[in-house]
Amino acid sequence: MSNDHDTHRTQDQATQAAERMLPLVPLGIGIALASFAATVAAGNAPSLQLPWVPSLGVQLSFQLDGLSLLFGLLICGIGALVLVYAPAYFGDHPDRHRLYAWLILFMGAMLGVVLADNLITLFVFWELTSVSSYMLIGFKHESQKSREAALQALLVTGIGGLALLAGILLLGHAGGSYELSELITKRQALQNHPWLIPTIVLILLGAFTKSAQFPFHFWLPNAMAAPTPVSAFLHSATMVKAGVYLVARLSPIFSGVPIWDDSSVVDGSLTALTGGLLALQQTDLKRILAFSTVSALGMLMLLLGLGTPTAVQAAMVFLIGHACYKGALFLVAGTIDHCAATRDVRKLSGLARMMPLAAVAAALAGLSQAGIPPAGGFLAKELIYESALKLTTWVVPVLVLVFFANTSFVAVTALVAVRPFFGQPSQASASAHRAHWRLTMPPLLLGIAGLAIGLWPQTAGLFLVAPAVAAAGHAGDDVYLKLWHGFNLPLLLSIATLATGYVAFARWPKLRAQQLRLRWLYHWGPETGYATALQGLRSTATWQTKMLQNGSLPVYLSVVLLAFTALVGWELVDHIDIPQSGPWLEVRPYEVCIPLLIIAAAAMAVSTDSRLAAVCALGVIGFSVAMLFVMFGAPDLAMTQLAIETLTVILFVFVIYRLPRFTIFSNRIARLRDAALAVAAGGVMTAVVLAATFAHTPSRVTPFFIEHSLESAKGRNMVNVILVDFRALDTLGEIVVLAIAALGILALLRLRIDASDSEESGERRQAEQYERSPRASRSLP
Amino acid sequence: MELLLAITVGALYAAGFYMILRRSLVKVIIGLALLGHAAHLFLFTVGGLTRGSAPLLTGETAGRVESYADPLPQALILTAIVIGFGVQAFALVLFKRVYQTIGTDDLDQLKATDTGS
C-alpha cells in the first residue's frame, strides 16, 4: 500500500514540476523572437519557406516583420504569464492538463497566424485558433451555458472564417500568388481588379467576426464562460486581435479603397460605442471587462480605418497598452474570483487589505487604462486625440466618439480596478483568503510592462511601434514617441476625459438603472438574430430529415421510381431511333399465347385479394417464363426455372397461411397514384428493352466460348461449361450466397422471440443466476 | 417478337413496382417475386432472341457463331434465378419473424427507427 502511495506522490510531483516548466515554452519562443528585434528594426524581414502543397501554390512560408514581431512578443509574453498563473488558479482540477494542451496549441496557432506569409497557411492557423478557442470556452463542459457560448463563438468566427477563405481565394487568384510579400507589390493591379469589392467584403467579414465587431460583438462577452486565464489570453489580449492584425496586415494592399477604409471606420465606431455603453450596464467583473474589450477593438478598427500615419501609430501603441492592461485586469478579476468567490462588483470592496499585490497590479493596469501619465495608456490616448484632431474630414464625429470611448474606459477602470479594493471590506471581501504569489505576480508584471512603455517610450517606439507601423504601410521613421507633449489640445481632452469618466463612475448606479430601462431593445439585438438563425437551422434540419428520411419504404421507393422514370424516360425519348421493320415486329401465332398469359397472371397477382390466388398467379408466370426459355433456345434455363418455380410455390404455400391476409392500408387516391407511377416506370422498362434490342450487336465474347468449350473444357453444353468452368468462381460465390441465405433462414426460424422472453430479460436472468451462485459471484469484480 | 416480350417485361415490372409500393408487407414480397421474373425476362430479351437452336455444340455446326443462341446471357440468368430464389426464401422467413415479433404488416408502422418519432 505504502509503495503505491509513494509512486502516486512521485507522479504528482512530476506533474507539478512539468506544470511549472510550461511557461518556459512561450518564454523561449519569445526570447528567440526578441533576438530578431534589432534586425527587424533595421527594416529587414527574416523569412522561412517549407514546401507543403506545392502543386496548389501553398507553402509553409513565414516572415517576421515589425507587425509579426509586435504580435509575436505579445502572444509569448502574455502566454508565459498566463501559464505561470494557471496552476494556482486551477489547483488540482482533474481536467487541467487538457486545458494546458489546448492553451499551448492555441499559442502555436496564434503565432502561426501572425508569422504566416502564405495566405492559405494563415487561414489554416486562423481556423485552428477558432477550434482551440471553442475547446477552451467549453472547458466546463458539464455546464450548458459554457457549451452554448463555445458553440456560439465557433459558429460566428467559423462563418467569418469561411468568408475569409473565399476572400483569400479571390485575392490569390487576382494577384496570382498567395504570398503576402508578393501581393503587396501588386497593389495597383489588385486595386483595379474587378473582384476588388467582393474580396474586400469577404475578408472584412472574417476580420470583423474574429475581432467581435458590431453586429458580431455578442459572442465575446458570452465567451467569458471560459476560465479566467483563458479569457485573459484569448479573449482580450491575443485572439480577438487577429482581425485587427489582418486589417493592419492587408492595409498596404487595400488602404485608399473607400469601402475598405469606410467599413473599418464606421463599424469600428459602432463597436466602440456599443461596447462602451454596454460595459457600464454589467455587474460581473469579467463581463464589464469583456464589453470594454469590445469597445477597445472597435477603437483599434476605427484607427486602422482612418489610416493616417498618426492613427496607425496610435493604433499600435494602444494595442500594446491594451494587451498589457486588459490582460492584467482579467488576471486580477480571476484572482478576486478565486479568493473572494464572487465577481459581482457590487459585493466587492476593501480587498486591498487581503491582497495588496493584486491591488497594486490593478492600480498599475488602471493607470494605463484610464490614460493617466506616466503609463503607456496615456501615450496611446494622446496619440488617439492627436490623430482625430489631425483629420481633414469628420473631425467632430470621430472626436466625440473617441472621447466617449475613452470616458467609458475611465469609468470601467474606476469600477473594476479601484472600487473593489478600497472602502470598508464587504462580506465577500472579509471572507476572502490570501492570494498565492502565482495569482498576483503575472498581473503585476503586466502592469509594470504597461508602465515601462510610458517611461521609456523611445525604446518601445524604436523596436516595437516603428517597425509595426512600417509593416502596416507607413513610413516608420516618423514615429517618435514621447510622454510629454506640452500643454496642448490633446492634454486638455485627456483631462476632460478623466473628469467625465469620474463623474460617470460616481453616478454609476443611477446611470446603470437608467440604461437598464432600455433592456427591451435587446429583443431586437444581433444576438436574437443569432438565436433565430440557429433555431431556424435546427428546425429546417429536422423538417428536412423528416421529409427525406421519413422511414416509409413506399415513399423512398416512389422517389427512386420517379427519378428513374423521369431521367431514363427523358433520355430515351430524346435518343431512341425506331426502325420501321425488322425481326422485332415478327410474331408467330403460337408465340402470342405465352406473353398474354404472363400479362394476365400479373394483372391477377396485383388485383386479387386472396393470398393463394396471388401465389398461383406467381406460379403461372414462372412456368410461362420457363416456356419462353424453351421456345428461344435455352433448355438449361427452362429446367432451372421449372425446378426453382416449383420450390418457390411450395415455399409460399407453406408460409403464406402463417402470414396476415392481404390488407388494403392505403386509400384510393394513393393506389391510383402508385398505379400511374408503376405503369410509367414499366413503360420506361419496355422502352429500355426495345432500345437495347435496336442497338444489339453480336457478342464479342461468345465466339471464344464456342471455340474453347469443347477444346479446353471438354463440354458440349456451353452454358454448363461457362458455369462450372470458365466462370466457376462466380458459381462458387453463388453457392456461398445460397448457403448464407440458408443459414440465415435457419437462424431466423430457430430464434425464439416473444414479449416475455426477450434477449434483455434473458440476460437479466443469467445475471441473477450468477448472483445466486456463490462460486460465480466471487469471480465477479 | 421483341416488341411483344418488351411489353410483357414492362407489364411485369409495372406489376412488381405497384406491389412493392404497397404498405402491406405480404404484397411487397409478391412484388419482389414479380420483379425477379421481370428481370430474368429482361436479360433474356436484351441478350438477343434466337428461335430453336440451343447453345449445344454438335459435330456439324461447331464453330459457327450465328447458329447458336448466345450462351453467356443464359449463364448469367441461370445464376440470377438461383440467387433470386435464395433472396426470396430469406425475405419470406424474415418477414414471417417480423410479423410474429412486431405484430403488424403495415410498413408505415415500422418506420420508427429512422426518425425516432
Side-chain angles (χ1 to χ4, degrees):
Chain A
M1 269 318 264
S2 67
N3 231 350
D4 272 8
H5 194 69
D6 279 354
T7 325
H8 207 66
R9 206 164 54 188
T10 325
Q11 265 178 3
D12 267 5
Q13 280 170 347
T15 318
Q16 276 175 8
E19 278 174 20
R20 275 184 225 123
M21 304 290 257
L22 269 181
L24 293 180
V25 178
L27 196 65
I29 301 174
I31 291 171
L33 285 177
S35 69
F36 287 103
T39 323
V40 172
N44 300 317
S47 64
L48 171 74
Q49 280 176 343
L50 303 165
W52 188 14
V53 195
S55 56
L56 295 177
V58 180
Q59 41 190 340
L60 287 171
S61 57
F62 301 98
Q63 197 175 35
L64 183 70
D65 63 2
L67 205 55
S68 309
L69 184 72
L70 172 63
F71 273 88
L73 287 177
L74 282 178
I75 293 161
C76 292
I78 296 176
L81 292 174
V82 163
L83 285 172
V84 169
Y85 182 95
Y89 185 83
F90 288 104
D92 49 3
H93 192 291
D95 291 338
R96 63 188 189 280
H97 300 118
R98 200 175 59 207
L99 183 110
Y100 298 148
W102 282 109
L103 270 178
I104 298 273
L105 177 80
F106 164 76
M107 197 188 73
M110 197 61 214
L111 281 172
V113 168
V114 300
L115 289 173
D117 191 39
N118 185 292
L119 279 173
I120 303 285
T121 309
L122 184 144
F123 172 76
V124 171
F125 284 119
W126 178 282
E127 290 294 277
L128 263 179
T129 63
S130 292
V131 172
S132 41
S133 159
Y134 171 73
M135 298 305 288
L136 287 166
I137 298 173
F139 177 68
K140 296 173 211 150
H141 55 83
E142 303 88 354
S143 136
Q144 194 190 355
K145 211 175 134 235
S146 285
R147 294 198 304 270
E148 277 172 4
L151 186 66
Q152 189 181 58
L154 183 72
L155 286 179
V156 173
T157 55
I159 288 169
L162 286 179
L164 174 66
L165 177 63
I168 283 175
L169 293 179
L170 285 182
L171 182 60
H173 268 279
S177 165
Y178 287 110
E179 302 295 317
L180 276 165
S181 44
E182 261 182 66
L183 288 169
I184 285 171
T185 60
K186 295 180 182 160
R187 179 187 153 97
Q188 275 307 321
L190 285 169
Q191 289 208 359
N192 292 325
H193 201 277
W195 295 348
L196 179 71
I197 305 289
T199 310
I200 286 180
V201 169
L202 288 167
I203 289 178
L204 282 183
L205 206 56
F208 285 178
T209 49
K210 195 78 165 179
S211 279
Q213 300 292 301
F214 184 86
F216 308 111
H217 63 278
F218 57 87
W219 74 262
L220 183 56
N222 290 337
M224 294 302 124
T228 307
V230 173
S231 307
F233 192 23
L234 272 72
H235 305 125
S236 76
T238 55
M239 188 182 85
V240 288
K241 298 219 170 81
V244 174
Y245 167 81
L246 190 72
V247 171
R249 172 58 79 203
L250 294 176
S251 278
I253 302 177
F254 293 125
S255 67
V257 181
I259 187 172
W260 176 267
D261 293 344
D262 296 351
S263 304
S264 303
V265 170
V266 172
D267 208 32
S269 307
L270 277 175
T271 313
L273 193 68
T274 316
L277 271 176
L278 292 177
L280 295 177
Q281 277 184 30
Q282 312 299 322
T283 53
D284 179 339
L285 279 178
K286 277 180 80 177
R287 282 183 76 83
I288 299 175
L289 288 171
F291 276 109
S292 101
T293 305
V294 169
S295 184
L297 291 168
M299 176 88 93
L300 282 169
M301 215 50 106
L302 163 69
L303 289 170
L304 288 176
L306 291 176
T308 60
T310 327
V312 174
Q313 194 185 332
M316 294 306 157
V317 178
F318 182 54
L319 185 105
I320 306 172
H322 177 258
C324 291
Y325 75 67
K326 199 51 76 64
L329 288 176
F330 262 110
L331 292 179
V332 168
T335 308
I336 294 176
D337 189 18
H338 194 268
C339 298
T342 178
R343 295 198 306 249
D344 190 331
V345 279
R346 291 169 301 184
K347 292 185 189 158
L348 293 164
S349 61
L351 276 170
R353 288 178 216 184
M354 299 305 297
M355 37 182 84
L357 279 177
V360 174
L364 287 177
L367 279 184
S368 194
Q369 181 171 33
I372 298 169
F378 172 71
L379 216 62
K381 195 166 60 175
E382 297 285 287
L383 279 168
I384 291 171
Y385 281 137
E386 195 186 326
S387 56
L389 288 168
K390 270 193 189 167
L391 287 178
T392 47
T393 51
W394 296 103
V395 182
V396 178
V398 170
L399 204 59
V400 169
L401 193 100
V402 292
F403 183 79
F404 168 79
N406 280 326
T407 308
S408 161
F409 293 156
V410 173
V412 165
T413 306
L415 211 52
V416 301
V418 180
R419 189 184 140 126
F421 292 99
F422 297 100
Q424 283 299 312
S426 64
Q427 199 186 352
S429 308
S431 60
H433 61 81
R434 291 198 170 277
H436 190 270
W437 67 266
R438 280 175 179 274
L439 292 178
T440 51
M441 283 314 284
L444 196 60
L445 284 175
L446 276 174
I448 292 171
L451 198 62
I453 297 165
L455 291 177
W456 291 285
Q458 283 91 347
T459 319
L462 182 63
F463 287 107
L464 289 175
V465 179
V469 171
H474 294 282
D477 307 338
D478 301 339
V479 175
Y480 184 72
L481 297 181
K482 55 184 181 191
L483 198 60
W484 184 246
H485 286 253
F487 288 101
N488 54 10
L489 201 50
L491 187 70
L492 277 178
L493 282 168
S494 280
I495 295 167
T497 311
L498 281 174
T500 326
Y502 178 75
V503 172
F505 164 68
R507 296 172 56 85
W508 177 64
K510 211 171 162 189
L511 207 65
R512 183 165 170 269
Q514 278 171 353
Q515 279 199 14
L516 284 182
R517 270 185 236 142
L518 296 174
R519 267 204 126 103
W520 53 271
L521 261 175
Y522 294 174
H523 281 293
W524 283 273
E527 193 171 3
T528 314
Y530 166 83
T532 314
L534 198 63
Q535 193 49 46
L537 190 70
R538 281 186 185 137
S539 42
T540 310
T542 314
W543 170 81
Q544 180 195 295
T545 310
K546 283 198 169 151
M547 280 287 293
L548 298 178
Q549 305 277 321
N550 59 5
S552 164
L553 183 67
V555 171
Y556 292 164
L557 288 174
S558 301
V559 172
V560 172
L561 282 180
L562 206 62
F564 162 76
T565 311
L567 296 175
V568 179
W570 173 262
E571 189 67 18
L572 281 175
V573 167
D574 227 25
H575 285 98
I576 202 160
D577 196 9
I578 305 170
Q580 290 307 309
S581 63
W584 71 286
L585 287 169
E586 291 166 16
V587 183
R588 297 182 190 173
Y590 67 89
E591 288 172 348
V592 183
C593 322
I594 305 284
L596 287 183
L597 194 59
I598 293 179
I599 294 171
M604 181 178 168
V606 170
S607 58
T608 181
D609 50 7
S610 148
R611 289 164 296 175
L612 196 61
V615 173
C616 289
L618 275 183
V620 170
I621 295 170
F623 292 121
S624 308
V625 170
M627 282 308 292
L628 281 177
F629 289 153
V630 171
M631 279 154 54
F632 293 96
D636 295 280
L637 286 186
M639 282 191 282
T640 316
Q641 177 73 22
L642 281 173
I644 292 286
E645 199 51 43
T646 312
L647 274 176
T648 311
V649 170
I650 293 172
L651 183 73
F652 266 87
V653 168
F654 267 127
V655 180
I656 204 88
Y657 279 112
R658 298 175 177 233
L659 296 182
R661 295 180 176 282
F662 276 2
T663 326
I664 297 173
F665 290 113
S666 42
N667 58 26
R668 198 180 166 77
I669 297 168
R671 289 202 300 276
L672 279 174
R673 184 193 60 208
D674 290 348
L677 183 58
V679 168
V684 171
M685 287 311 294
T686 300
V688 170
V689 175
L690 288 176
T693 308
F694 300 151
H696 189 77
T697 48
S699 163
R700 277 175 293 169
V701 197
T702 310
F704 168 86
F705 293 124
I706 293 176
E707 217 170 287
H708 293 271
S709 274
L710 196 54
E711 244 173 69
S712 318
K714 312 291 175 212
R716 290 183 181 276
N717 182 336
M718 286 185 277
V719 177
N720 270 2
V721 168
I722 291 172
L723 285 174
V724 300
D725 200 311
F726 293 123
R727 302 185 61 85
L729 213 57
D730 276 7
T731 309
L732 184 69
E734 181 191 339
I735 293 168
V736 171
V737 169
L738 279 185
I740 291 172
L743 280 175
I745 290 168
L746 191 70
L748 280 173
L749 286 176
R750 297 187 56 146
L751 182 71
R752 284 192 302 150
I753 315 170
D754 54 52
S756 64
D757 190 28
S758 69
E759 256 181 272
E760 204 183 329
S761 66
E763 266 172 37
R764 203 179 312 134
R765 212 171 34 237
Q766 220 172 7
E768 277 164 17
Q769 270 175 358
Y770 263 114
E771 270 165 40
R772 253 179 265 137
S773 141
R775 196 159 50 94
S777 67
R778 224 178 294 140
S779 65
L780 283 173
Chain B
M1 188 61 199
E2 276 87 348
L3 178 63
L4 197 53
L5 280 187
I7 293 168
T8 312
V9 168
L12 277 176
Y13 267 114
F17 287 151
Y18 179 77
M19 288 303 262
I20 60 169
L21 286 173
R22 299 301 86 218
R23 273 163 64 188
S24 156
L25 244 175
V26 203
K27 292 187 185 172
V28 172
I29 289 186
I30 302 278
L32 276 180
L34 284 168
L35 286 180
H37 289 310
H40 303 152
L41 210 52
F42 172 83
L43 282 177
F44 191 63
T45 315
V46 168
L49 296 176
T50 316
R51 286 188 177 83
S53 42
L56 300 169
L57 290 170
T58 54
E60 313 90 65
T61 50
R64 282 177 44 223
V65 179
E66 60 275 18
S67 45
Y68 304 106
D70 193 342
L72 190 62
Q74 292 195 17
L76 297 179
I77 295 167
L78 208 149
T79 311
I81 292 172
V82 178
I83 296 275
F85 171 70
V87 170
Q88 246 175 56
F90 185 79
L92 204 57
V93 175
L94 182 67
F95 168 55
K96 184 174 157 271
R97 297 304 315 208
V98 167
Y99 178 62
Q100 233 175 348
T101 312
I102 299 176
T104 177
D105 68 327
D106 181 357
L107 274 172
D108 276 5
Q109 304 283 315
L110 298 175
K111 66 180 192 180
T113 46
D114 267 22
T115 44
S117 61

